[in-house]
């Protein structure tokens, strides 16, 4: 029990920078939710139960267009497919004896940044460390939405724009430390960036959703890296899955 509490405290501490970044981005979501006519309760409920800004921002537009529930569900599935890959990667870091209910709860808190921090932990991942990350990151995301809704149009447009890119810096901070000590990982990150840019510029991919682009990039780069640079035993900085998925650079850089 004492060990679990220590792991939770460590996770909570490591999740504070994530929470600060989430607060800035979800604040912008709260402003947009207010403009879309949502009440504070509705906006907060969306942030608390979804934890995906890409999906949440898209949902506002879909609500405004009065789409069907099927269209909404299909859009969210495509946008958030990458979390299936991240969950599979994290499941390999959990001990085989971890019960299903732990895995079920942990799956709710899988975001790009939480994944990036958790997958870089050496050794097996204690569920309570992940709970600690969620305990600080999720309130940061939810509170940001709440204050964004109640703030209305108080803040100038320039400040709102600045807040919307705060998470980019935090995500870069997640991948830079392990990349500095591993040349192969550095090369994979750079390749991920260039390939992502290439996919964005190609006309043929302009009609492919951002979420599906991430799936294609992840499979392509992860497969190539696994074939060319197979890992021998436990990685010291990040697991093999983290090497491929974390630096895949989502186009929005959001949770």
């Amino acid at each position: 029990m004492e060990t679990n509490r220590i792991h939770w405290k460590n996770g909570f501490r490591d999740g504070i920078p994530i929470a600060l970044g989430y607060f800035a981005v979800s604040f912008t979501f709260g402003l947009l939710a207010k403009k879309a006519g949502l009440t504070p309760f509705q906006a907060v409920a969306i942030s608390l139960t979804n934890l995906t800004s890409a999906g949440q921002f898209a949902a506002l537009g879909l609500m405004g267009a009065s789409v069907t529930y099927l269209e909404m569900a299909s859009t969210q599935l495509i946008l958030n497919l990458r979390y299936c890959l991240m969950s599979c990667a994290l499941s390999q870091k959990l001990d085989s004896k971890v019960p299903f209910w732990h895995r079920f709860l942990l799956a709710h808190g899988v975001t790009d940044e939480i994944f990036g921090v958790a997958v870089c932990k050496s050794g097996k991942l204690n569920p309570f460390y992940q709970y600690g990350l969620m305990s600080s990151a999720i309130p940061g995301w939810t509170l940001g939405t709440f204050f964004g809704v109640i703030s209305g149009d108080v803040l100038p447009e320039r400040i709102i724009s600045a807040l919307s890119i705060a998470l980019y810096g935090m995500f870069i901070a997640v991948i830079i430390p392990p990349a500095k000590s591993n040349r192969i990982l550095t090369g994979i990150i750079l390749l991920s960036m260039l390939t992502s840019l290439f996919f964005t510029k190609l006309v043929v991919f302009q009609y492919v959703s951002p979420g599906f682009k991430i799936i294609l990039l992840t499979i392509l780069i992860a497969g190539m890296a696994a074939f060319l640079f197979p890992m021998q035993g436990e990685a010291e900085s990040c697991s093999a899955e983290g090497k491929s998925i974390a630096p895949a650079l989502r186009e929005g850089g959001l949770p």
Side-chain angles (χ1 to χ4, degrees):
M1 183 66 68
E2 181 66 23
T3 301
N4 290 337
R5 186 169 65 175
I6 292 175
H7 281 290
W8 183 89
K9 287 182 177 180
N10 291 337
F12 186 88
R13 179 198 61 203
D14 293 345
I16 291 176
I18 299 177
L20 296 176
Y22 281 0
F23 185 93
V25 178
S26 61
F27 189 94
T28 305
F29 172 77
L31 293 173
L32 296 178
K34 179 178 177 60
K35 291 182 179 179
L38 297 181
T39 65
F41 175 79
Q42 291 170 332
V44 169
I46 290 174
S47 286
L48 184 61
T49 57
N50 285 270
L51 304 180
T52 162
S53 63
Q56 290 179 207
F57 280 101
L60 291 180
L62 294 174
M63 290 177 187
S66 300
V67 302
T68 65
Y69 288 123
L70 180 60
E71 290 174 306
M72 177 73 77
S74 300
T75 301
Q76 294 301 315
L77 176 63
I78 294 173
L79 283 175
N80 299 306
L81 273 176
R82 65 185 182 277
Y83 296 131
C84 294
L85 297 176
M86 296 180 189
S87 295
C88 288
L90 287 178
S91 70
Q92 303 306 304
K93 287 184 66 66
L94 293 172
D95 192 281
S96 59
K97 297 180 181 179
V98 173
F100 171 78
W101 67 270
H102 268 308
R103 299 173 185 270
F104 184 81
L105 292 175
L106 293 177
H108 173 66
V110 175
T111 67
D112 296 81
E113 291 72 29
I114 290 178
F115 167 80
V117 172
V119 81
C120 286
K121 292 289 292 184
S122 60
K124 290 295 183 179
L125 180 65
N126 187 293
F128 285 88
Y129 177 81
Q130 188 82 347
Y131 289 142
L133 289 174
M134 295 165 59
S135 296
S136 53
I138 293 177
W141 182 255
T142 306
L143 288 174
T145 298
F146 173 75
F147 283 107
V149 174
I150 65 175
S151 295
D153 300 321
V154 174
L155 295 178
E157 187 66 29
R158 291 184 178 181
I159 294 181
I160 296 176
S161 298
L163 289 173
S164 66
I165 66 171
L167 206 59
Y168 286 89
M170 186 191 69
F171 194 71
I172 292 175
V174 170
I175 64 174
I176 290 300
K180 291 173 64 177
S181 59
N182 190 318
R183 292 184 178 180
I184 295 177
L185 181 55
T186 302
I188 294 174
I189 291 175
L190 294 176
L191 178 62
S192 300
M193 293 179 178
L194 293 175
T195 310
S196 179
L197 176 62
F198 186 66
F199 270 42
T200 302
K201 296 300 181 180
L202 279 180
V203 177
V204 67
F205 287 107
Q206 289 184 357
Y207 302 99
V208 179
S209 70
F212 198 71
K213 286 181 184 178
I214 294 167
I215 298 297
L216 293 176
L217 283 170
T218 300
I219 294 175
L220 176 65
I221 298 174
M224 182 186 67
F227 178 77
L228 295 177
F229 310 105
M231 297 191 65
Q232 303 297 327
E234 183 74 24
E236 293 183 0
S237 56
C238 290
S239 71
E241 296 87 352
K243 284 186 176 182
S244 59
I245 302 177
L249 286 188
R250 302 159 32 248
E251 294 174 30
L254 304 174

